[in-house]
Amino acid sequence: MKVTSNNWQTNTETVRSFLNRKEDSEKAAEESMLPDTDILDRTAEALDSLKSEGNDSDYRMKGSAPKDSVGQLAAELARAETRLDVQQVMSKAMKALANLKMSAYVCEGADAKKARQMIKRMEKLIKRIQKKMKHLNKEEQMTNDQKRAEKQQQEQKAKQIREELRTRRNRRRRDEREYAMKELNEDNKSQSVELMNSVMAGMHAAAGSPDLSALAAAGGADLSAAPGDMGSIDITV
């Protein structure tokens, strides 16, 4: 084939066009893998706006407990006996932790302090969830070892594994129940404090300053049992 200057120029332009299209395609693919900074910027601006609004007006975001409190999730964890159940509790705990961190960002003063305390409690719960997952994996392995020993007619070994497995499970379940009761009591304590603060704030708004001496003379208000009257959570397994 005879190569002319026109053919050479045409081929060169074709190759150049192909390379440019390839470069544009690769650049678009790289950009698609980057996070959407516009969304992140808008989220940050929205949070700053909420915080500013809370400073400039009577608006105030409370650092209240999330829908799934630490006590409730700890009770669910105590009842969970499969890895799937534990994973579901983990999912709820992670969502609750994210909500608490969002609340701590926009809150100030006592509310921010309360949110930080709840964040620490939720993080400890998540560590216990991870620990339980390891325990369940170990128990499943021991169950398989027991079945293998029984299949091989190693009765003594199977009996030893069965007793050890029972001891491990009883100890784990007892520890989980105690932890759940502790966290439920902590939730109730926090609710009692909130209820008392609400009552005192209402009295202050209605009468200017509450007469604490009169309140004491009247016997006070027993609010310690109030949250418990709202319902109990079954943690038996």
Side-chain angles (χ1 to χ4, degrees):
M1 182 181 69
K2 185 177 181 180
V3 179
T4 65
S5 60
N6 290 336
N7 290 339
W8 176 259
Q9 184 177 1
T10 300
N11 291 337
T12 302
E13 291 176 354
T14 301
V15 172
R16 184 182 297 112
S17 176
F18 172 76
L19 292 176
N20 289 337
R21 288 198 301 271
K22 183 179 180 182
E23 182 180 354
D24 293 340
S25 177
E26 292 176 351
K27 183 182 295 185
E30 291 178 357
E31 291 177 354
S32 66
M33 296 177 65
L34 296 175
D36 190 344
T37 55
D38 291 340
I39 294 178
L40 296 178
D41 292 342
R42 288 196 297 271
T43 302
E45 290 175 359
L47 289 173
D48 290 338
S49 148
L50 284 173
K51 196 168 185 179
S52 175
E53 184 180 355
N55 291 334
D56 298 338
S57 68
D58 293 335
Y59 171 84
R60 194 180 183 191
M61 180 174 287
K62 298 293 184 181
S64 58
K67 180 180 179 181
D68 295 313
S69 70
V70 178
Q72 291 171 331
L73 292 176
E76 290 186 26
L77 181 64
R79 294 194 301 268
E81 284 299 323
T82 66
R83 284 180 294 185
L84 179 59
D85 293 338
V86 176
Q87 288 172 354
Q88 291 176 347
V89 178
M90 172 65 85
S91 178
K92 292 180 180 181
M94 294 300 294
K95 290 179 181 178
L97 179 61
N99 291 335
L100 286 171
K101 289 185 176 181
M102 184 74 72
S103 177
Y105 181 83
V106 298
C107 290
E108 293 182 352
D111 288 335
K113 180 179 179 181
K114 177 183 176 183
R116 288 193 296 269
Q117 292 173 345
M118 294 179 67
I119 287 173
K120 290 182 179 180
R121 290 178 59 202
M122 192 65 71
E123 288 175 341
K124 289 181 180 179
L125 172 64
I126 290 174
K127 290 181 180 179
R128 291 187 70 97
I129 295 174
Q130 295 170 340
K131 182 180 178 181
K132 177 161 186 174
M133 187 66 75
K134 293 180 180 179
H135 284 320
L136 291 181
N137 290 337
K138 178 64 176 178
E139 291 172 10
E140 182 179 1
Q141 179 184 347
M142 293 179 65
T143 300
N144 293 334
D145 292 341
Q146 176 188 337
K147 292 179 180 179
R148 190 179 302 109
E150 291 173 348
K151 186 176 181 181
Q152 296 174 356
Q153 297 182 351
Q154 298 177 348
E155 295 299 334
Q156 186 64 27
K157 182 178 180 180
K159 180 180 179 181
Q160 180 181 354
I161 295 175
R162 183 165 53 251
E163 292 178 353
E164 181 181 355
L165 179 59
R166 184 187 302 112
T167 301
R168 287 177 62 94
R169 280 178 174 166
N170 290 339
R171 183 170 58 247
R172 171 179 60 78
R173 290 169 177 170
R174 182 173 60 254
D175 177 67
E176 290 169 355
R177 287 194 298 268
E178 291 175 354
Y179 173 72
M181 289 301 300
K182 174 185 175 183
E183 292 301 332
L184 285 170
N185 289 334
E186 187 66 26
D187 285 347
N188 289 340
K189 179 180 177 182
S190 298
Q191 292 174 11
S192 296
V193 172
E194 286 184 358
L195 184 57
M196 176 63 78
N197 289 340
S198 297
V199 171
M200 298 302 291
M203 293 174 63
H204 181 74
S209 178
D211 187 355
L212 298 180
S213 60
L215 181 63
D222 183 8
L223 300 177
S224 59
D229 296 338
M230 299 177 185
S232 60
I233 299 179
D234 180 20
I235 62 173
T236 58
V237 293

